[in-house]
């Protein structure tokens, strides 16, 4: 089953509903970063949330970034997704090992710790829309729920899960998100609360290999569910040598000089896909010349 993100309408419920299957993207993320089980679970949840939020991006150049900066061993996670559903992830410390919690679950909250969650929506306007909240749980889903409630005044339910096998292979990954529309009647809010509180956990639904649509249908069996939009999701980095060239032109002259005279060249690594780009002394000299002209 290919990864996909869908948005849905539940009959008589004024809410935006999204669901995602992100297994292949998380498999790729794990390969790129060689991430441990706890890091994979934490970053995989962020990946699924970012993927669902990307459904609001409409123009080709629109971009959404999620930045988690924290004091836990993972240090930080960055997700960047575009309107085509192409997503890339940076895990600051992918190689961390934490014991499982007493209940046998992955200890994502200890891996993340305290810090901030920032959402940047770049919609091609002069200034991007930026919202930051404190990390309240570190379990990721709760942190997004808190973000939507406080930063966007949108009461939401966010459920995210990454299911790992015995050898840390990805069995499943995905989730769903339900966001109340402004003025949602109290009886509908009550109905949603009841449904969510009695719903099976997202992990157990993923365990049963349920597709995104099936998860929502399982929570609201008596309702008609309508598919509004669907998009493929793919782990894909858009880095290029040219981009890193431009990046080198932005850094301090002393640092480029150090690369030329001490290091004898530069090798830069993309944090999102681990591609290495080498620059020779000659190229670095050209970069310095160019940035001198611009200065
Ligand atoms: Zn890259």
């Amino acid at each position: 089953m290919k990864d996909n993100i869908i948005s849905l309408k539940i009959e008589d419920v004024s809410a935006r509903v999204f669901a995602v299957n992100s297994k292949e993207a998380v498999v790729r993320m794990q390969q790129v970063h060689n991430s441990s089980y706890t890091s994979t679970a934490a970053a995989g949840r962020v990946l699924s949330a970012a993927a669902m939020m990307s459904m609001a991006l409409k123009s080709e150049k629109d971009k959404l970034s999620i930045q988690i900066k924290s004091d836990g061993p993972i240090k930080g996670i960055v997700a960047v997704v575009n309107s085509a559903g192409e997503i890339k992830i940076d895990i600051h410390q992918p190689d961390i090992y934490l014991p499982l919690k007493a209940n046998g679950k992955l200890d994502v909250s200890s891996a993340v710790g305290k810090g901030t969650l920032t959402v940047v929506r770049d919609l091609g306007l002069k200034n991007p829309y930026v919202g930051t909240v404190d990390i309240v749980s570190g379990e990721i889903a709760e942190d997004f729920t808190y973000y939507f409630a406080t930063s966007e005044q949108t009461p939401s339910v966010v459920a995210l899960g990454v299911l790992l096998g015995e050898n840390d292979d990805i069995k499943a990954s995905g989730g769903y998100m339900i966001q109340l529309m402004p003025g949602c009647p109290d009886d509908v809010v009550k109905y949603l609360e009841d449904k969510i509180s009695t719903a099976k956990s997202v992990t157990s639904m993923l365990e049963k290999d349920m597709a995104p649509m099936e998860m929502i249908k399982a929570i609201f069996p008596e309702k008609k569910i309508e598919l509004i939009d669907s998009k493929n999701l793919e782990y894909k980095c858009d880095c290029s040598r040219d981009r890193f060239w431009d990046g080198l032109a932005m850094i301090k002259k002393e640092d480029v000089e150090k690369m030329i005279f001490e290091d004898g060249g530069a090798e830069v690594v993309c944090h999102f896909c681990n591609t290495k780009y080498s620059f020779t002394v000659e190229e670095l000299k050209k970069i310095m010349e160019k940035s001198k002209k611009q200065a």
Side-chain angles (χ1 to χ4, degrees):
M1 193 167 53
K2 255 191 134 183
D3 286 355
N4 68 327
I5 324 157
I6 55 173
S7 63
L8 304 157
K9 167 97 188 74
I10 305 168
E11 179 192 12
D12 301 328
V13 174
S14 47
R16 280 189 289 260
V17 184
F18 307 94
V20 63
N21 168 28
S22 56
K23 182 187 170 184
E24 295 307 322
V26 172
V27 167
R28 183 76 194 116
M29 178 196 83
Q30 190 188 38
Q31 283 168 351
V32 165
H33 296 287
N34 198 14
S35 47
S36 68
Y37 49 84
T38 323
S39 298
T40 303
R45 291 179 196 177
V46 175
L47 186 152
S48 293
M52 288 189 278
M53 290 171 78
S54 82
M55 287 306 265
L57 303 176
K58 296 295 171 211
S59 316
E60 207 183 308
K61 284 191 175 159
D62 290 359
K63 233 181 224 178
L64 179 130
S65 315
I66 311 279
Q67 296 156 12
I68 287 180
K69 277 188 197 149
S70 66
D71 64 1
I74 202 163
K75 300 282 181 216
I77 301 166
V78 178
V80 183
V81 62
N82 65 17
S83 60
E86 294 168 346
I87 196 160
K88 56 182 184 178
I89 303 280
D90 177 16
I91 311 173
H92 293 193
Q93 292 293 335
D95 192 21
I96 53 161
Y97 288 88
L98 280 92
L100 298 178
K101 291 196 280 197
N103 60 7
K105 296 216 163 120
L106 295 164
D107 198 356
V108 170
S109 60
S110 297
V112 173
K114 296 263 172 285
T116 53
L117 165 69
T118 301
V119 176
V120 181
R121 277 196 186 81
D122 186 352
L123 306 178
L125 305 168
K126 199 168 158 214
N127 295 310
Y129 171 85
V130 184
T132 299
V133 294
D134 286 336
I135 289 169
V136 287
S137 100
E139 288 288 337
I140 310 296
E142 287 91 331
D143 300 302
F144 277 98
T145 305
Y146 182 71
Y147 165 79
F148 287 122
T150 55
S151 194
E152 301 194 4
Q153 290 84 47
T154 307
S156 308
V157 176
V158 183
L160 308 165
V162 177
L163 201 66
L164 290 135
E166 272 180 28
N167 302 314
D168 295 353
D169 52 317
I170 313 296
K171 293 261 184 241
S173 176
Y176 63 86
M177 203 159 90
I178 300 170
Q179 302 196 304
L180 297 188
M181 305 280 248
C184 186
D186 288 347
D187 58 326
V188 177
V189 175
K190 176 85 178 61
Y191 167 78
L192 283 173
E193 281 171 354
D194 288 349
K195 282 285 151 188
I196 296 301
S197 64
T198 55
K200 291 220 160 41
S201 75
V202 68
T203 323
S204 73
M205 291 200 268
L206 291 169
E207 215 156 18
K208 287 187 193 134
D209 231 0
M210 285 173 133
M213 177 70 132
E214 288 173 331
M215 290 198 275
I216 303 300
K217 279 187 175 164
I219 306 171
F220 305 97
E222 67 281 13
K223 292 282 189 189
K224 214 177 104 200
I225 314 277
E226 195 189 324
L227 181 73
I228 307 233
D229 197 3
S230 170
K231 192 153 77 173
N232 288 335
L233 172 70
E234 190 190 353
Y235 194 100
K236 195 173 177 187
C237 188
D238 54 354
C239 69
S240 66
R241 206 167 185 284
D242 283 353
R243 231 182 239 205
F244 277 99
W245 180 288
D246 294 343
L248 283 169
M250 309 277 278
I251 67 174
K252 275 189 292 185
K253 190 173 152 254
E254 302 93 87
D255 292 337
V256 182
E257 275 173 349
K258 187 177 166 284
M259 289 171 192
I260 293 172
F261 298 109
E262 289 176 34
D263 307 336
E267 188 180 76
V268 281
V269 181
C270 174
H271 289 300
F272 294 100
C273 69
N274 268 339
T275 303
K276 292 182 179 72
Y277 297 94
S278 299
F279 293 88
T280 63
V281 167
E282 290 310 308
E283 285 174 321
L284 291 171
K285 281 181 180 165
K286 261 188 220 163
I287 288 168
M288 255 182 50
E289 280 302 310
K290 204 181 148 205
S291 49
K292 248 187 236 159
K293 273 179 208 154
Q294 281 167 348

